[in-house]
Amino acid sequence: MLEYLPVYLPIFFSLTTILMLILFHWTISGSSASIQGKAGLITTLLSLWLVLQASLAINELYSADTNSIPPKIMLLGILPMLLVILSLFISRKGRIFIDSLPLERITHLNIIRIPVEIVLYLLFLNKVVPEMMTFEGRNFDILAGITAPLIAIYGIKKGILGSRIILTWNFICLALLINIIIIALFSSITPFQKFAFEQPNIALPNFPFVWLPTFIVPIVLFGHLVSIRQLLIKIRS
């Protein structure tokens, strides 16, 4: 754990993570009746996942050994979430779940990127992530969070923007997400580190910031993939 950080920082990020869990539960609750009943179970499973990742981080499984290939956080924290997302897209029941999620609420999920970017900036000021991971560097992900309510309200709810424009927005925001994922990966202290050697990314393998790559980012990624699938189906129909 990064015990020298100001106490408000881990508290702020923990609240951000809880907000993400609430928003995702709210998203599922707005789906079809058959899916709504599973919202509680899914939220419980995700809560247990957060507890597991917190335990692994607190016990320094991710931060102690920086030379493992692949990095343990990728193997035990990120890969399982990616496999769950993949299974939802390739299975029939998974696609039913995906297609029932309300597009407007999925879009609102991206609001979480605003407090996340604030946290990253504060982590930079405390010298535990590089500047390139912030909006003052090469990370422009905050734009997705700022524009998400506009797309959700004016694009989807009021129908002012066409499906192609909303689809384009999703692709742009997905690219912004991939950009920061790459920066975070190659600035971490692992065999894959390529830059930020003077001030590397040492925050994310530690509690509670481990929840960013193992929970928040996968949920945001899932939201974009779901939105893109729904919009493509709508455009083709």
Side-chain angles (χ1 to χ4, degrees), residues 27-193:
T27 299
I28 300 172
S29 299
S31 58
S32 62
S34 60
I35 302 299
Q36 287 178 12
K38 300 177 181 178
L41 174 60
I42 294 171
T43 302
T44 299
L45 292 174
L46 288 174
S47 299
L48 292 174
W49 174 253
L50 290 173
V51 171
L52 173 62
Q53 292 306 311
S55 177
L56 295 176
I58 290 171
N59 286 283
E60 300 184 346
L61 182 69
Y62 295 150
S63 58
D65 182 8
T66 59
N67 294 315
S68 61
I69 299 179
K72 291 178 181 177
I73 191 171
M74 294 181 64
L75 186 63
L76 301 176
I78 299 172
L79 181 60
M81 289 292 280
L82 295 180
L83 291 177
V84 169
I85 292 172
L86 178 62
S87 68
L88 289 173
F89 275 87
I90 64 177
S91 66
R92 186 181 67 84
K93 289 184 178 180
R95 290 193 295 272
I96 292 174
F97 170 73
I98 286 169
D99 294 339
S100 72
L101 295 174
L103 185 59
E104 181 186 347
R105 295 193 182 190
I106 295 172
T107 305
H108 275 301
L109 283 178
N110 291 281
I111 297 172
I112 205 69
R113 292 155 94 157
I114 298 175
V116 165
E117 293 308 309
I118 294 172
V119 168
L120 287 175
Y121 182 71
L122 293 173
L123 289 173
F124 158 66
L125 294 180
N126 284 274
K127 304 184 184 304
V128 289
V129 301
E131 184 181 29
M132 65 176 60
M133 284 182 61
T134 74
F135 47 73
E136 283 197 346
R138 302 178 188 175
N139 179 10
F140 308 105
D141 204 54
I142 196 170
L143 296 176
I146 294 171
T147 56
L150 301 177
I151 296 295
I153 295 171
Y154 296 101
I156 300 171
K157 185 176 182 178
K158 296 187 176 182
I160 296 175
L161 302 177
S163 296
R164 294 183 186 276
I165 294 176
I166 301 171
L167 179 63
T168 301
W169 178 85
N170 271 281
F171 275 119
I172 292 172
C173 293
L174 180 59
L176 293 175
L177 181 66
I178 293 172
N179 172 63
I180 183 54
I181 290 173
I182 292 172
I183 293 173
L185 173 62
F186 289 118
S187 63
S188 300
I189 304 177
T190 70
F192 305 121
Q193 186 174 7

Side-chain angles (χ1 to χ4, degrees), residues 2-47:
L2 305 173
E3 297 178 353
Y4 51 86
L5 290 178
V7 67
Y8 69 84
L9 236 176
I11 292 175
F12 180 38
F13 183 73
S14 296
L15 292 174
T16 299
T17 303
I18 293 171
L19 175 61
M20 184 58 165
L21 185 64
I22 293 171
L23 286 173
F24 194 59
H25 178 88
W26 170 69
T27 299
I28 300 172
S29 299
S31 58
S32 62
S34 60
I35 302 299
Q36 287 178 12
K38 300 177 181 178
L41 174 60
I42 294 171
T43 302
T44 299
L45 292 174
L46 288 174
S47 299

